Amino acid sequence: YPEGACGLEHAGYVVTADDFGRIKLFNYPCVFNDAPFREYKGHASHAMCARFTCDDRRVITAGGRDRAMLQFITKGVRIDEPAPEYEPPPPETREWGPIDGGE
């Protein structure tokens, strides 16, 4: 694993933290340099480490300069837990128009 990584071998995932404050979730084992991942943001500066909790229901991350600890809930990660239903994002409701009220 890279520094700041934690694996969840029985569920098939590994989580990493990087110098840009991003938390990445990879499939385990991750054997390619450019492997696909899901990315989550929350830290204002670099993230020091990321770990699964002992029951695998959360990921805890520790920030560097922002001194923040964040927790992410895992859904559908455990083997005995069904994957959540996909919910499409809500439709865009904002209407864009001229800033100065022009025609």
Side-chain angles (χ1 to χ4, degrees):
Y1 299 134
E3 186 175 333
C6 178
L8 188 58
E9 295 181 27
H10 61 276
Y13 295 100
V14 63
V15 65
T16 65
D18 67 16
D19 288 339
F20 304 102
R22 296 179 299 211
I23 307 303
K24 295 180 181 176
L25 183 69
F26 293 90
N27 286 324
Y28 178 87
C30 185
V31 294
F32 299 108
N33 287 335
D34 293 327
F37 58 88
R38 290 202 177 189
E39 181 178 302
Y40 305 93
K41 298 178 183 176
H43 290 286
S45 67
H46 64 285
M48 299 292 290
C49 68
R51 297 287 187 264
F52 284 97
T53 56
C54 60
D55 63 358
D56 304 330
R57 296 195 187 278
R58 298 180 191 274
V59 172
I60 308 292
T61 63
R65 193 152 183 92
D66 65 1
R67 298 180 182 170
M69 292 196 70
L70 304 177
Q71 52 180 321
F72 298 86
I73 296 174
T74 58
K75 293 183 179 178
V77 171
R78 294 173 50 111
I79 293 174
D80 60 346
E81 184 177 57
E85 295 282 331
Y86 173 74
E87 296 178 20
E92 185 71 34
T93 58
R94 293 186 285 184
E95 294 185 21
W96 296 92
I99 295 174
D100 60 359
E103 298 176 22

